[in-house]
Every structure is written in structure tokens, then in C-alpha cells.
Amino acid sequence: MTDKKRTAGSLKLLGGRLCLDFVNTLDWRGTDSPQEFLKTYDDLVSWSRHAGICSQQETRKLYKMAEQSNAEAKKVLNRTLKLREAVFRLFAAGIANRNPLKEDLAIFNKYLSQSMKDSQITRTPDGYAWDIAGNRAKLDWVMNPIIRSAAEILVSDEINKVKACADSACGWLFIDVSRNQSRRWCDMQDCGNRAKATRFYKKKIKDASRKDAQAPR
Ligand SMILES: [Zn+2]
């Protein structure tokens, strides 16, 4: 709801992991009117550039390719949103200590197998490295690093460090890497401060009414 989080290309990246920042492209999940930042395929590209998935040159190429195949770009956006929501539900289940829905794991695995099909090992000066981006001639390659990021958290201890912002209306997810696992807010400057202000306001009202009650008649 704040100006700082206004567009896909300028959203704060506070999740600590790519897939969590991706989940946070839907803001105010806990309210009746969540705010969607990925409304078009171009939004997805702009976010991908912002999050470091694609270079400036790759970004330009994706915009151009999308312009030439509008219908395909729309389909990719819809698939991306479906992936995002499945990833969110998997993490939300973990946060709530619930088993995930089989359907959500199945959805995720479908995306995962596609991204693995597109992945390869490449030779580097130091040895070998994963090239997980896959076929850059396709509009959907930007999804692959996100899928990989989610898979890595799901199979590691990091799954236990994924938390939701203490402001349930906000709904942003993040990885809590603080030593004593004490991080509560997606952003201390934003949700944290708002909560502090609300507490302060409530206390002021309470103090005022107490004073009124104690006031001599
Ligand atoms: Zn928050």
C-alpha cells in the first residue's frame, strides 16, 4: 500500500530468496483486495530484470519477443501466476505446520520437470556450472530460476526458516536468517513501523481514557 512497493520493477526485494520475492509480487494477501503486481507479461519481465534473473539485453529481447507473440506471452503470464500461487501455498503449509495439498506439490513438480528438461551443465573456466535458464528463445525461461530457487528451499533446512510477515494483512514471505530467528516483519521500515505506530496510538487512547476515568469530577 506504500509508494515504495508500487511497480513490479521497483518492488522491495526483502524475501531473501528469489522464489520468496516472487511470491511477494502479490501484496496484501491477507486482505479482501490483494494488490497484483504481475498484471502483464511485461510486468513479469520488468520484475525479472529487477530481481536479477535477466540482463538488460535479455530483457529487451523478451519485450520484443512478447510483442510478436502476444497470445503466448499471456499464456506464460498465467502459467507463472499459477506457479506463484502453488509455491505460496506450499510455503504457507510449512509455516502453518500443515501437510501441503497433494495437488500443489503435483503442480510444482510439473513445472520442475519442465525446468529440469531445460537445464544443463556447462563448462566454465573453473569446472562446471548449472545453466538453469534453459532455452532463452522461449518466453517462459525466466520461470526456471524461480522454480529452482523454490525447489532448493523445499528440500533443505531452509524450509523451517520461511516465515510470513507478522502483519497478516501484508502476507509477504521471507527467510529468517537472524541468529535467534527473531525476524517478524517483511520490512521493519514498513510493516514493523506501522505496527509500532498502531500500538502507540492504541496506548495513547488507552492512557487518555484512563486519565479521563481518573479525572476528578
Ligand atoms: Zn509485511
Side-chain angles (χ1 to χ4, degrees), residues 9 13 24 31 38 47 50 55 66 69 88 100 112 152:
L13 304 171
N24 297 343
T31 68
L38 302 181
W47 181 83
H50 176 55
S55 68
S69 33
F88 170 75
L112 178 67
E152 275 170 4

Side-chain angles (χ1 to χ4, degrees), residues 16 18-19 28 31 41 46 59 61 63 73 80 92 100 103 113 115 119 136 141 146 176 178 213 215 217:
L18 184 65
C19 63
W28 304 106
T31 68
Y41 178 81
S46 142
T59 306
K61 198 175 160 196
Y63 282 140
T80 308
E103 297 90 302
S113 66
S115 81
S119 300
R136 287 176 179 78
W141 74 261
I146 300 167
D176 183 2
S178 64
R217 286 162 200 264

Side-chain angles (χ1 to χ4, degrees), residues 5 165-167 170-172 185-187 190-192 194:
K5 297 198 233 163
C165 180
D167 183 341
C170 162
W172 273 27
W185 313 102
C186 67
D187 189 0
D190 194 333
C191 290
R194 205 171 43 249

Side-chain angles (χ1 to χ4, degrees), residues 25-40:
T25 55
L26 185 70
D27 205 0
W28 304 106
R29 279 179 184 275
T31 68
D32 290 337
S33 46
Q35 194 176 357
E36 178 60 80
F37 284 90
L38 302 181
K39 289 184 182 142
T40 64

Side-chain angles (χ1 to χ4, degrees), residues 118-133 136:
D118 287 341
S119 300
Q120 53 178 343
I121 298 282
T122 55
R123 189 80 174 117
T124 68
D126 309 317
Y128 296 93
W130 276 107
D131 176 7
I132 53 169
R136 287 176 179 78

